[in-house]
Amino acid sequence: MIRTAPDQYQEIRDAVRALCAGFPDEYHRKIDGQRGYPEAFVTALTKAGWLAALIPAEYGGSGLGLAEASVIMEEINRSGGNSGACHGQMYNMGTLLRHGSKAQKQLYLPKIASGEWRLQSMAVTEPGTGTDTTRIKTSAVKKGDRYVVNGQKVWISRVQHSDWMILLARTTPLAEVTKKSEGMSIFMVDLRRAEKSGMTVRPIPNMVNHETNELFFENLEIPQENLIGEEGSGFKYLLDGLNAERTLIAAECIGDGYWFLDRVTKYVNERIVFGRPIGQNQGVQSPIADAYIEVEAANLMRYKACELFDAGQPCGAQANMAKYLAAKASWEAANACIQFHGGFGFANEYDVERKFRETRLYQVAPISTNLIYSYVAEHILGMPRSF
Ligand SMILES: Cc1cc2nc3c(=O)[nH]c(=O)nc-3n(C[C@H](O)[C@H](O)[C@H](O)COP(=O)(O)OP(=O)(O)OC[C@H]3O[C@@H](n4cnc5c(N)ncnc54)[C@H](O)[C@@H]3O)c2cc1C
């Protein structure tokens, strides 16, 4: 492993590393090959309490800060695993925590903390609207003591490995609101009940071993007590959760970045071509050193975002920039890693091609790089709104 200076999170790092060591490359490779779900890995993380890091102690979690939570995600990815299988369980509950009623928090949070219930899924994206979220068409119409949902979502992850899903739907048509961000609401959806009546799940085979789906709603009934917060304020609630999500994803990318750097430095030191280690060539050294510098720089922005978030300060700029820098850095590290493994980079048994596919996703989801540029241009640099 390349040397990184010990930090104040070393105890957490050591404990997560010890757990992850029980799930070596072969485990993750086999699951990837089968397009399976790392059930045993996710269960072990849950039982050890790592996925409940952000849930306050009064609800059965460990009440840690975003910095500690991000270290957990980083270490999972640095170990060769993929937090994408379970990161929703860590941050989706933030919406409930911040905006749920006391009764909702008491009902859901302890069960999420213990792992009895999984809240791994969040349904926002729609095929017809993409990133333009305020134009979503899925509607929830109040009828008596319930809401009736009709519409469609796409790319909704971990539905088959979750008990609950947070759903964003329009409760007031776009034409009837003064601001386009108004009139949307969020609901807790009981997935197993929904599958029996009103929701159809169609898996989307994709480049990564990432369980994700199209969802079709036809008169899905949701009890009114499953509405989180006020009707019509759902989009605002959603935005409130994005800074934590982006910072945690940045940490996952940083974990990936270190994984690629660990592997490639070891390989180029050992692989002899033309009578010397390939790592002796400056053409090999430079892209690896470059990627390392980028990962370290992204790391600084990740900790800046965590520091502000944990102090209750605005951190939208830092969270977005951390996500941007980390996704870019891990991708550069991935490219250097696969390049200098030569042909072996493409062999499944080296795991490089698997991690390469996994880390590529983060330049598109959960927010594409272009949308981060727009955020920085508009909100930080004061340029005109482009959409
Ligand atoms: C594996 C996977 C898992 C996912 N999981 C979930 C999930 O659990 N829940 C969920 O709700 N969503 C999920 N998503 C959806 C994901 O968040 C979206 O794919 C992503 O936000 C981009 O939206 P889109 O695919 O509709 O792209 P589009 O909005 O169609 O955009 C396509 C591309 O065009 C560019 N673009 C678009 N608009 C602009 C603009 N104004 N300026 C400049 N460039 C622009 C961007 O580069 C963007 O990547 C997942 C996606 C994937 C691939």
Side-chain angles (χ1 to χ4, degrees), residues 121-127 129-132 154-158 206 208 210 212 361 363-371 374 386-387:
S121 301
M122 164 96 80
V124 176
T125 310
E126 296 192 4
T129 47
T131 316
D132 195 359
V154 70
W155 300 116
I156 309 309
S157 304
R158 300 169 295 273
N206 64 90
V208 194
H210 188 105
T212 192
L361 173 66
Q363 301 207 29
V364 170
I367 182 171
S368 86
T369 299
N370 271 352
L371 271 290
S374 294
S386 65
F387 52 85

PDB file of all heavy atoms in Angstrom, residues 121-127 129-132 154-158 206 208 210 212 361 363-371 374 386-387, ligand 1:
ATOM      1  N   SER A 121     -32.744   2.999  -1.377  1.00  0.00           N
ATOM      2  CA  SER A 121     -33.157   3.536  -2.680  1.00  0.00           C
ATOM      3  C   SER A 121     -33.775   4.922  -2.591  1.00  0.00           C
ATOM      4  O   SER A 121     -34.486   5.228  -1.633  1.00  0.00           O
ATOM      5  CB  SER A 121     -34.175   2.583  -3.326  1.00  0.00           C
ATOM      6  OG  SER A 121     -33.601   1.317  -3.498  1.00  0.00           O
ATOM      7  N   MET A 122     -33.510   5.696  -3.622  1.00  0.00           N
ATOM      8  CA  MET A 122     -34.067   7.049  -3.741  1.00  0.00           C
ATOM      9  C   MET A 122     -34.446   7.235  -5.210  1.00  0.00           C
ATOM     10  O   MET A 122     -33.601   7.080  -6.092  1.00  0.00           O
ATOM     11  CB  MET A 122     -32.997   8.054  -3.323  1.00  0.00           C
ATOM     12  CG  MET A 122     -33.231   9.476  -3.719  1.00  0.00           C
ATOM     13  SD  MET A 122     -33.985  10.468  -2.438  1.00  0.00           S
ATOM     14  CE  MET A 122     -32.602  10.848  -1.403  1.00  0.00           C
ATOM     15  N   ALA A 123     -35.711   7.543  -5.473  1.00  0.00           N
ATOM     16  CA  ALA A 123     -36.182   7.602  -6.864  1.00  0.00           C
ATOM     17  C   ALA A 123     -36.454   9.036  -7.280  1.00  0.00           C
ATOM     18  O   ALA A 123     -37.461   9.625  -6.879  1.00  0.00           O
ATOM     19  CB  ALA A 123     -37.435   6.745  -7.022  1.00  0.00           C
ATOM     20  N   VAL A 124     -35.552   9.568  -8.099  1.00  0.00           N
ATOM     21  CA  VAL A 124     -35.671  10.949  -8.571  1.00  0.00           C
ATOM     22  C   VAL A 124     -35.718  10.972 -10.099  1.00  0.00           C
ATOM     23  O   VAL A 124     -36.620  11.534 -10.707  1.00  0.00           O
ATOM     24  CB  VAL A 124     -34.485  11.807  -8.070  1.00  0.00           C
ATOM     25  CG1 VAL A 124     -34.546  13.213  -8.649  1.00  0.00           C
ATOM     26  CG2 VAL A 124     -34.459  11.863  -6.546  1.00  0.00           C
ATOM     27  N   THR A 125     -34.718  10.345 -10.746  1.00  0.00           N
ATOM     28  CA  THR A 125     -34.525  10.482 -12.194  1.00  0.00           C
ATOM     29  C   THR A 125     -35.684   9.869 -12.991  1.00  0.00           C
ATOM     30  O   THR A 125     -36.177   8.795 -12.658  1.00  0.00           O
ATOM     31  CB  THR A 125     -33.197   9.807 -12.614  1.00  0.00           C
ATOM     32  OG1 THR A 125     -32.159  10.276 -11.754  1.00  0.00           O
ATOM     33  CG2 THR A 125     -32.836  10.123 -14.045  1.00  0.00           C
ATOM     34  N   GLU A 126     -36.059  10.582 -14.060  1.00  0.00           N
ATOM     35  CA  GLU A 126     -37.113  10.078 -14.962  1.00  0.00           C
ATOM     36  C   GLU A 126     -36.590  10.079 -16.388  1.00  0.00           C
ATOM     37  O   GLU A 126     -35.775  10.944 -16.748  1.00  0.00           O
ATOM     38  CB  GLU A 126     -38.365  10.956 -14.853  1.00  0.00           C
ATOM     39  CG  GLU A 126     -38.964  10.887 -13.466  1.00  0.00           C
ATOM     40  CD  GLU A 126     -40.355  11.510 -13.371  1.00  0.00           C
ATOM     41  OE1 GLU A 126     -40.906  11.948 -14.402  1.00  0.00           O
ATOM     42  OE2 GLU A 126     -40.865  11.542 -12.239  1.00  0.00           O
ATOM     43  N   PRO A 127     -37.097   9.146 -17.220  1.00  0.00           N
ATOM     44  CA  PRO A 127     -36.553   9.041 -18.576  1.00  0.00           C
ATOM     45  C   PRO A 127     -36.782  10.290 -19.413  1.00  0.00           C
ATOM     46  O   PRO A 127     -35.922  10.703 -20.179  1.00  0.00           O
ATOM     47  CB  PRO A 127     -37.296   7.834 -19.175  1.00  0.00           C
ATOM     48  CG  PRO A 127     -38.439   7.555 -18.270  1.00  0.00           C
ATOM     49  CD  PRO A 127     -38.091   8.111 -16.932  1.00  0.00           C
ATOM     50  N   THR A 129     -37.106  13.458 -18.440  1.00  0.00           N
ATOM     51  CA  THR A 129     -36.658  14.756 -17.926  1.00  0.00           C
ATOM     52  C   THR A 129     -35.180  14.799 -17.576  1.00  0.00           C
ATOM     53  O   THR A 129     -34.580  15.864 -17.571  1.00  0.00           O
ATOM     54  CB  THR A 129     -37.463  15.142 -16.672  1.00  0.00           C
ATOM     55  OG1 THR A 129     -37.506  14.018 -15.801  1.00  0.00           O
ATOM     56  CG2 THR A 129     -38.858  15.564 -17.006  1.00  0.00           C
ATOM     57  N   GLY A 130     -34.586  13.657 -17.282  1.00  0.00           N
ATOM     58  CA  GLY A 130     -33.153  13.595 -16.971  1.00  0.00           C
ATOM     59  C   GLY A 130     -32.786  14.530 -15.832  1.00  0.00           C
ATOM     60  O   GLY A 130     -33.463  14.580 -14.796  1.00  0.00           O
ATOM     61  N   THR A 131     -31.751  15.309 -16.053  1.00  0.00           N
ATOM     62  CA  THR A 131     -31.230  16.182 -15.004  1.00  0.00           C
ATOM     63  C   THR A 131     -32.179  17.348 -14.691  1.00  0.00           C
ATOM     64  O   THR A 131     -32.044  17.985 -13.650  1.00  0.00           O
ATOM     65  CB  THR A 131     -29.863  16.745 -15.460  1.00  0.00           C
ATOM     66  OG1 THR A 131     -29.100  15.672 -16.030  1.00  0.00           O
ATOM     67  CG2 THR A 131     -29.074  17.302 -14.309  1.00  0.00           C
ATOM     68  N   ASP A 132     -33.107  17.615 -15.574  1.00  0.00           N
ATOM     69  CA  ASP A 132     -34.041  18.742 -15.384  1.00  0.00           C
ATOM     70  C   ASP A 132     -35.161  18.297 -14.420  1.00  0.00           C
ATOM     71  O   ASP A 132     -36.329  18.171 -14.799  1.00  0.00           O
ATOM     72  CB  ASP A 132     -34.604  19.126 -16.767  1.00  0.00           C
ATOM     73  CG  ASP A 132     -35.278  20.485 -16.755  1.00  0.00           C
ATOM     74  OD1 ASP A 132     -35.328  21.108 -15.673  1.00  0.00           O
ATOM     75  OD2 ASP A 132     -35.756  20.895 -17.830  1.00  0.00           O
ATOM     76  N   VAL A 154     -36.377   6.072 -13.756  1.00  0.00           N
ATOM     77  CA  VAL A 154     -35.339   5.259 -14.402  1.00  0.00           C
ATOM     78  C   VAL A 154     -34.043   5.359 -13.601  1.00  0.00           C
ATOM     79  O   VAL A 154     -33.817   6.356 -12.922  1.00  0.00           O
ATOM     80  CB  VAL A 154     -35.147   5.700 -15.885  1.00  0.00           C
ATOM     81  CG1 VAL A 154     -34.486   7.072 -15.991  1.00  0.00           C
ATOM     82  CG2 VAL A 154     -34.335   4.670 -16.672  1.00  0.00           C
ATOM     83  N   TRP A 155     -33.241   4.308 -13.686  1.00  0.00           N
ATOM     84  CA  TRP A 155     -31.946   4.234 -12.988  1.00  0.00           C
ATOM     85  C   TRP A 155     -32.116   4.249 -11.473  1.00  0.00           C
ATOM     86  O   TRP A 155     -31.331   4.901 -10.779  1.00  0.00           O
ATOM     87  CB  TRP A 155     -31.014   5.405 -13.382  1.00  0.00           C
ATOM     88  CG  TRP A 155     -30.676   5.491 -14.817  1.00  0.00           C
ATOM     89  CD1 TRP A 155     -31.008   6.495 -15.674  1.00  0.00           C
ATOM     90  CD2 TRP A 155     -29.929   4.544 -15.584  1.00  0.00           C
ATOM     91  NE1 TRP A 155     -30.525   6.231 -16.916  1.00  0.00           N
ATOM     92  CE2 TRP A 155     -29.861   5.038 -16.890  1.00  0.00           C
ATOM     93  CE3 TRP A 155     -29.335   3.309 -15.288  1.00  0.00           C
ATOM     94  CZ2 TRP A 155     -29.212   4.354 -17.905  1.00  0.00           C
ATOM     95  CZ3 TRP A 155     -28.687   2.630 -16.297  1.00  0.00           C
ATOM     96  CH2 TRP A 155     -28.624   3.155 -17.585  1.00  0.00           C
ATOM     97  N   ILE A 156     -33.114   3.565 -10.976  1.00  0.00           N
ATOM     98  CA  ILE A 156     -33.314   3.603  -9.536  1.00  0.00           C
ATOM     99  C   ILE A 156     -32.620   2.376  -8.918  1.00  0.00           C
ATOM    100  O   ILE A 156     -32.978   1.226  -9.185  1.00  0.00           O
ATOM    101  CB  ILE A 156     -34.815   3.672  -9.169  1.00  0.00           C
ATOM    102  CG1 ILE A 156     -35.464   4.827  -9.966  1.00  0.00           C
ATOM    103  CG2 ILE A 156     -34.987   3.851  -7.663  1.00  0.00           C
ATOM    104  CD1 ILE A 156     -34.748   6.187  -9.878  1.00  0.00           C
ATOM    105  N   SER A 157     -31.640   2.665  -8.091  1.00  0.00           N
ATOM    106  CA  SER A 157     -30.694   1.633  -7.653  1.00  0.00           C
ATOM    107  C   SER A 157     -31.139   0.914  -6.385  1.00  0.00           C
ATOM    108  O   SER A 157     -31.832   1.495  -5.546  1.00  0.00           O
ATOM    109  CB  SER A 157     -29.326   2.269  -7.421  1.00  0.00           C
ATOM    110  OG  SER A 157     -28.901   2.922  -8.590  1.00  0.00           O
ATOM    111  N   ARG A 158     -30.682  -0.321  -6.292  1.00  0.00           N
ATOM    112  CA  ARG A 158     -30.802  -1.162  -5.083  1.00  0.00           C
ATOM    113  C   ARG A 158     -32.245  -1.447  -4.652  1.00  0.00           C
ATOM    114  O   ARG A 158     -32.484  -1.781  -3.496  1.00  0.00           O
ATOM    115  CB  ARG A 158     -30.003  -0.544  -3.918  1.00  0.00           C
ATOM    116  CG  ARG A 158     -28.516  -0.396  -4.214  1.00  0.00           C
ATOM    117  CD  ARG A 158     -27.808   0.444  -3.189  1.00  0.00           C
ATOM    118  NE  ARG A 158     -28.260   1.805  -3.187  1.00  0.00           N
ATOM    119  CZ  ARG A 158     -27.761   2.772  -3.975  1.00  0.00           C
ATOM    120  NH1 ARG A 158     -26.758   2.520  -4.776  1.00  0.00           N
ATOM    121  NH2 ARG A 158     -28.249   3.992  -3.938  1.00  0.00           N
ATOM    122  N   ASN A 206     -26.277  -3.250 -17.042  1.00  0.00           N
ATOM    123  CA  ASN A 206     -25.408  -2.092 -17.325  1.00  0.00           C
ATOM    124  C   ASN A 206     -23.940  -2.452 -17.172  1.00  0.00           C
ATOM    125  O   ASN A 206     -23.594  -3.570 -16.785  1.00  0.00           O
ATOM    126  CB  ASN A 206     -25.811  -0.908 -16.443  1.00  0.00           C
ATOM    127  CG  ASN A 206     -25.613  -1.160 -14.961  1.00  0.00           C
ATOM    128  OD1 ASN A 206     -24.552  -0.875 -14.418  1.00  0.00           O
ATOM    129  ND2 ASN A 206     -26.602  -1.726 -14.285  1.00  0.00           N
ATOM    130  N   VAL A 208     -21.594  -1.614 -15.108  1.00  0.00           N
ATOM    131  CA  VAL A 208     -21.073  -1.901 -13.773  1.00  0.00           C
ATOM    132  C   VAL A 208     -21.980  -2.956 -13.138  1.00  0.00           C
ATOM    133  O   VAL A 208     -23.122  -3.092 -13.540  1.00  0.00           O
ATOM    134  CB  VAL A 208     -21.129  -0.623 -12.893  1.00  0.00           C
ATOM    135  CG1 VAL A 208     -20.307  -0.785 -11.634  1.00  0.00           C
ATOM    136  CG2 VAL A 208     -20.672   0.587 -13.674  1.00  0.00           C
ATOM    137  N   HIS A 210     -24.063  -2.922 -10.898  1.00  0.00           N
ATOM    138  CA  HIS A 210     -24.792  -1.974 -10.058  1.00  0.00           C
ATOM    139  C   HIS A 210     -26.265  -2.258 -10.288  1.00  0.00           C
ATOM    140  O   HIS A 210     -26.759  -2.057 -11.406  1.00  0.00           O
ATOM    141  CB  HIS A 210     -24.416  -0.556 -10.501  1.00  0.00           C
ATOM    142  CG  HIS A 210     -24.943   0.516  -9.612  1.00  0.00           C
ATOM    143  ND1 HIS A 210     -24.150   1.209  -8.725  1.00  0.00           N
ATOM    144  CD2 HIS A 210     -26.183   1.009  -9.463  1.00  0.00           C
ATOM    145  CE1 HIS A 210     -24.884   2.090  -8.072  1.00  0.00           C
ATOM    146  NE2 HIS A 210     -26.133   1.980  -8.504  1.00  0.00           N
ATOM    147  N   THR A 212     -29.713  -1.623 -10.761  1.00  0.00           N
ATOM    148  CA  THR A 212     -30.481  -0.398 -11.018  1.00  0.00           C
ATOM    149  C   THR A 212     -31.641  -0.730 -11.951  1.00  0.00           C
ATOM    150  O   THR A 212     -31.582  -1.706 -12.699  1.00  0.00           O
ATOM    151  CB  THR A 212     -29.542   0.724 -11.532  1.00  0.00           C
ATOM    152  OG1 THR A 212     -30.243   1.955 -11.509  1.00  0.00           O
ATOM    153  CG2 THR A 212     -28.997   0.455 -12.905  1.00  0.00           C
ATOM    154  N   LEU A 361     -18.385   5.530 -13.503  1.00  0.00           N
ATOM    155  CA  LEU A 361     -19.766   5.961 -13.269  1.00  0.00           C
ATOM    156  C   LEU A 361     -19.841   7.343 -12.634  1.00  0.00           C
ATOM    157  O   LEU A 361     -20.738   8.139 -12.931  1.00  0.00           O
ATOM    158  CB  LEU A 361     -20.451   4.924 -12.350  1.00  0.00           C
ATOM    159  CG  LEU A 361     -21.852   5.266 -11.851  1.00  0.00           C
ATOM    160  CD1 LEU A 361     -22.843   5.304 -13.008  1.00  0.00           C
ATOM    161  CD2 LEU A 361     -22.311   4.236 -10.819  1.00  0.00           C
ATOM    162  N   GLN A 363     -18.483  10.099 -12.932  1.00  0.00           N
ATOM    163  CA  GLN A 363     -18.480  11.360 -13.679  1.00  0.00           C
ATOM    164  C   GLN A 363     -19.860  11.679 -14.240  1.00  0.00           C
ATOM    165  O   GLN A 363     -20.106  12.777 -14.726  1.00  0.00           O
ATOM    166  CB  GLN A 363     -17.466  11.284 -14.818  1.00  0.00           C
ATOM    167  CG  GLN A 363     -16.108  11.018 -14.248  1.00  0.00           C
ATOM    168  CD  GLN A 363     -14.998  11.542 -15.101  1.00  0.00           C
ATOM    169  OE1 GLN A 363     -15.136  12.499 -15.818  1.00  0.00           O
ATOM    170  NE2 GLN A 363     -13.874  10.895 -15.000  1.00  0.00           N
ATOM    171  N   VAL A 364     -20.761  10.698 -14.162  1.00  0.00           N
ATOM    172  CA  VAL A 364     -22.124  10.907 -14.672  1.00  0.00           C
ATOM    173  C   VAL A 364     -23.136  10.922 -13.522  1.00  0.00           C
ATOM    174  O   VAL A 364     -24.041  11.757 -13.482  1.00  0.00           O
ATOM    175  CB  VAL A 364     -22.486   9.796 -15.696  1.00  0.00           C
ATOM    176  CG1 VAL A 364     -23.968   9.844 -16.041  1.00  0.00           C
ATOM    177  CG2 VAL A 364     -21.644   9.935 -16.948  1.00  0.00           C
ATOM    178  N   ALA A 365     -23.007   9.992 -12.609  1.00  0.00           N
ATOM    179  CA  ALA A 365     -23.984   9.860 -11.526  1.00  0.00           C
ATOM    180  C   ALA A 365     -23.256  10.025 -10.189  1.00  0.00           C
ATOM    181  O   ALA A 365     -22.087   9.680 -10.086  1.00  0.00           O
ATOM    182  CB  ALA A 365     -24.655   8.486 -11.585  1.00  0.00           C
ATOM    183  N   PRO A 366     -23.889  10.528  -9.161  1.00  0.00           N
ATOM    184  CA  PRO A 366     -25.269  11.004  -9.145  1.00  0.00           C
ATOM    185  C   PRO A 366     -25.437  12.400  -9.741  1.00  0.00           C
ATOM    186  O   PRO A 366     -26.567  12.892  -9.791  1.00  0.00           O
ATOM    187  CB  PRO A 366     -25.628  11.000  -7.658  1.00  0.00           C
ATOM    188  CG  PRO A 366     -24.345  11.140  -6.931  1.00  0.00           C
ATOM    189  CD  PRO A 366     -23.290  10.529  -7.791  1.00  0.00           C
ATOM    190  N   ILE A 367     -24.366  13.021 -10.159  1.00  0.00           N
ATOM    191  CA  ILE A 367     -24.523  14.283 -10.912  1.00  0.00           C
ATOM    192  C   ILE A 367     -23.395  14.349 -11.920  1.00  0.00           C
ATOM    193  O   ILE A 367     -22.260  13.965 -11.613  1.00  0.00           O
ATOM    194  CB  ILE A 367     -24.502  15.520  -9.989  1.00  0.00           C
ATOM    195  CG1 ILE A 367     -24.713  16.785 -10.824  1.00  0.00           C
ATOM    196  CG2 ILE A 367     -23.204  15.622  -9.182  1.00  0.00           C
ATOM    197  CD1 ILE A 367     -24.935  18.034 -10.055  1.00  0.00           C
ATOM    198  N   SER A 368     -23.721  14.807 -13.124  1.00  0.00           N
ATOM    199  CA  SER A 368     -22.671  14.803 -14.146  1.00  0.00           C
ATOM    200  C   SER A 368     -21.747  16.012 -13.950  1.00  0.00           C
ATOM    201  O   SER A 368     -22.140  17.045 -13.413  1.00  0.00           O
ATOM    202  CB  SER A 368     -23.286  14.785 -15.545  1.00  0.00           C
ATOM    203  OG  SER A 368     -23.556  16.090 -15.954  1.00  0.00           O
ATOM    204  N   THR A 369     -20.527  15.821 -14.420  1.00  0.00           N
ATOM    205  CA  THR A 369     -19.496  16.849 -14.306  1.00  0.00           C
ATOM    206  C   THR A 369     -19.974  18.191 -14.865  1.00  0.00           C
ATOM    207  O   THR A 369     -19.735  19.246 -14.286  1.00  0.00           O
ATOM    208  CB  THR A 369     -18.245  16.347 -15.064  1.00  0.00           C
ATOM    209  OG1 THR A 369     -17.846  15.146 -14.429  1.00  0.00           O
ATOM    210  CG2 THR A 369     -17.115  17.329 -15.028  1.00  0.00           C
ATOM    211  N   ASN A 370     -20.686  18.146 -15.998  1.00  0.00           N
ATOM    212  CA  ASN A 370     -21.150  19.403 -16.600  1.00  0.00           C
ATOM    213  C   ASN A 370     -22.068  20.183 -15.669  1.00  0.00           C
ATOM    214  O   ASN A 370     -22.070  21.411 -15.674  1.00  0.00           O
ATOM    215  CB  ASN A 370     -21.913  19.111 -17.903  1.00  0.00           C
ATOM    216  CG  ASN A 370     -20.983  19.078 -19.100  1.00  0.00           C
ATOM    217  OD1 ASN A 370     -19.817  19.415 -18.986  1.00  0.00           O
ATOM    218  ND2 ASN A 370     -21.502  18.664 -20.236  1.00  0.00           N
ATOM    219  N   LEU A 371     -22.858  19.477 -14.898  1.00  0.00           N
ATOM    220  CA  LEU A 371     -23.783  20.167 -13.994  1.00  0.00           C
ATOM    221  C   LEU A 371     -23.026  20.796 -12.827  1.00  0.00           C
ATOM    222  O   LEU A 371     -23.450  21.806 -12.274  1.00  0.00           O
ATOM    223  CB  LEU A 371     -24.864  19.190 -13.510  1.00  0.00           C
ATOM    224  CG  LEU A 371     -26.130  19.094 -14.387  1.00  0.00           C
ATOM    225  CD1 LEU A 371     -26.950  20.380 -14.285  1.00  0.00           C
ATOM    226  CD2 LEU A 371     -25.827  18.838 -15.868  1.00  0.00           C
ATOM    227  N   SER A 374     -21.787  24.031 -14.139  1.00  0.00           N
ATOM    228  CA  SER A 374     -22.885  25.016 -14.130  1.00  0.00           C
ATOM    229  C   SER A 374     -23.076  25.589 -12.738  1.00  0.00           C
ATOM    230  O   SER A 374     -23.266  26.788 -12.572  1.00  0.00           O
ATOM    231  CB  SER A 374     -24.210  24.369 -14.542  1.00  0.00           C
ATOM    232  OG  SER A 374     -24.161  23.976 -15.848  1.00  0.00           O
ATOM    233  N   SER A 386     -27.819  29.149 -16.911  1.00  0.00           N
ATOM    234  CA  SER A 386     -27.851  28.628 -18.282  1.00  0.00           C
ATOM    235  C   SER A 386     -29.060  27.731 -18.527  1.00  0.00           C
ATOM    236  O   SER A 386     -29.333  27.357 -19.654  1.00  0.00           O
ATOM    237  CB  SER A 386     -26.564  27.865 -18.599  1.00  0.00           C
ATOM    238  OG  SER A 386     -26.462  26.726 -17.788  1.00  0.00           O
ATOM    239  N   PHE A 387     -29.773  27.343 -17.464  1.00  0.00           N
ATOM    240  CA  PHE A 387     -30.980  26.517 -17.695  1.00  0.00           C
ATOM    241  C   PHE A 387     -31.964  26.760 -16.576  1.00  0.00           C
ATOM    242  O   PHE A 387     -31.612  27.359 -15.551  1.00  0.00           O
ATOM    243  CB  PHE A 387     -30.643  25.021 -17.779  1.00  0.00           C
ATOM    244  CG  PHE A 387     -29.825  24.486 -16.620  1.00  0.00           C
ATOM    245  CD1 PHE A 387     -30.449  24.072 -15.449  1.00  0.00           C
ATOM    246  CD2 PHE A 387     -28.444  24.418 -16.695  1.00  0.00           C
ATOM    247  CE1 PHE A 387     -29.695  23.582 -14.389  1.00  0.00           C
ATOM    248  CE2 PHE A 387     -27.685  23.934 -15.647  1.00  0.00           C
ATOM    249  CZ  PHE A 387     -28.304  23.521 -14.487  1.00  0.00           C
TER     250      PHE A 387
HETATM  251  C1  LIG B   1     -25.706   3.149 -12.535  1.00  0.00           C
HETATM  252  C2  LIG B   1     -26.587   4.325 -12.254  1.00  0.00           C
HETATM  253  C3  LIG B   1     -27.253   4.407 -11.036  1.00  0.00           C
HETATM  254  C4  LIG B   1     -28.120   5.462 -10.770  1.00  0.00           C
HETATM  255  N1  LIG B   1     -28.846   5.482  -9.615  1.00  0.00           N
HETATM  256  C5  LIG B   1     -29.823   6.415  -9.438  1.00  0.00           C
HETATM  257  C6  LIG B   1     -30.711   6.349  -8.317  1.00  0.00           C
HETATM  258  O1  LIG B   1     -30.601   5.459  -7.441  1.00  0.00           O
HETATM  259  N2  LIG B   1     -31.710   7.266  -8.221  1.00  0.00           N
HETATM  260  C7  LIG B   1     -31.893   8.248  -9.159  1.00  0.00           C
HETATM  261  O2  LIG B   1     -32.820   9.041  -9.010  1.00  0.00           O
HETATM  262  N3  LIG B   1     -31.067   8.344 -10.242  1.00  0.00           N
HETATM  263  C8  LIG B   1     -30.050   7.453 -10.399  1.00  0.00           C
HETATM  264  N4  LIG B   1     -29.211   7.509 -11.499  1.00  0.00           N
HETATM  265  C9  LIG B   1     -29.436   8.556 -12.498  1.00  0.00           C
HETATM  266  C10 LIG B   1     -28.324   9.584 -12.535  1.00  0.00           C
HETATM  267  O3  LIG B   1     -28.412  10.443 -11.430  1.00  0.00           O
HETATM  268  C11 LIG B   1     -28.479  10.315 -13.885  1.00  0.00           C
HETATM  269  O4  LIG B   1     -28.138   9.393 -14.906  1.00  0.00           O
HETATM  270  C12 LIG B   1     -27.611  11.514 -13.964  1.00  0.00           C
HETATM  271  O5  LIG B   1     -28.043  12.478 -13.033  1.00  0.00           O
HETATM  272  C13 LIG B   1     -27.671  12.124 -15.359  1.00  0.00           C
HETATM  273  O6  LIG B   1     -29.004  12.223 -15.787  1.00  0.00           O
HETATM  274  P1  LIG B   1     -29.441  11.634 -17.213  1.00  0.00           P
HETATM  275  O7  LIG B   1     -28.919  10.254 -17.325  1.00  0.00           O
HETATM  276  O8  LIG B   1     -30.896  11.812 -17.401  1.00  0.00           O
HETATM  277  O9  LIG B   1     -28.666  12.533 -18.217  1.00  0.00           O
HETATM  278  P2  LIG B   1     -29.196  13.802 -19.016  1.00  0.00           P
HETATM  279  O10 LIG B   1     -29.869  14.759 -18.111  1.00  0.00           O
HETATM  280  O11 LIG B   1     -29.949  13.308 -20.193  1.00  0.00           O
HETATM  281  O12 LIG B   1     -27.824  14.432 -19.482  1.00  0.00           O
HETATM  282  C14 LIG B   1     -26.911  13.703 -20.335  1.00  0.00           C
HETATM  283  C15 LIG B   1     -25.598  14.435 -20.348  1.00  0.00           C
HETATM  284  O13 LIG B   1     -25.786  15.698 -20.984  1.00  0.00           O
HETATM  285  C16 LIG B   1     -25.041  16.693 -20.334  1.00  0.00           C
HETATM  286  N5  LIG B   1     -25.962  17.778 -19.919  1.00  0.00           N
HETATM  287  C17 LIG B   1     -27.278  17.712 -19.612  1.00  0.00           C
HETATM  288  N6  LIG B   1     -27.757  18.926 -19.310  1.00  0.00           N
HETATM  289  C18 LIG B   1     -26.734  19.794 -19.426  1.00  0.00           C
HETATM  290  C19 LIG B   1     -26.573  21.206 -19.244  1.00  0.00           C
HETATM  291  N7  LIG B   1     -27.593  21.987 -18.874  1.00  0.00           N
HETATM  292  N8  LIG B   1     -25.344  21.732 -19.436  1.00  0.00           N
HETATM  293  C20 LIG B   1     -24.307  20.965 -19.818  1.00  0.00           C
HETATM  294  N9  LIG B   1     -24.384  19.633 -19.990  1.00  0.00           N
HETATM  295  C21 LIG B   1     -25.572  19.056 -19.805  1.00  0.00           C
HETATM  296  C22 LIG B   1     -24.324  16.034 -19.158  1.00  0.00           C
HETATM  297  O14 LIG B   1     -22.997  15.722 -19.528  1.00  0.00           O
HETATM  298  C23 LIG B   1     -25.057  14.756 -18.931  1.00  0.00           C
HETATM  299  O15 LIG B   1     -24.208  13.726 -18.459  1.00  0.00           O
HETATM  300  C24 LIG B   1     -28.292   6.488 -11.757  1.00  0.00           C
HETATM  301  C25 LIG B   1     -27.588   6.429 -12.975  1.00  0.00           C
HETATM  302  C26 LIG B   1     -26.755   5.364 -13.228  1.00  0.00           C
HETATM  303  C27 LIG B   1     -26.051   5.303 -14.566  1.00  0.00           C
END
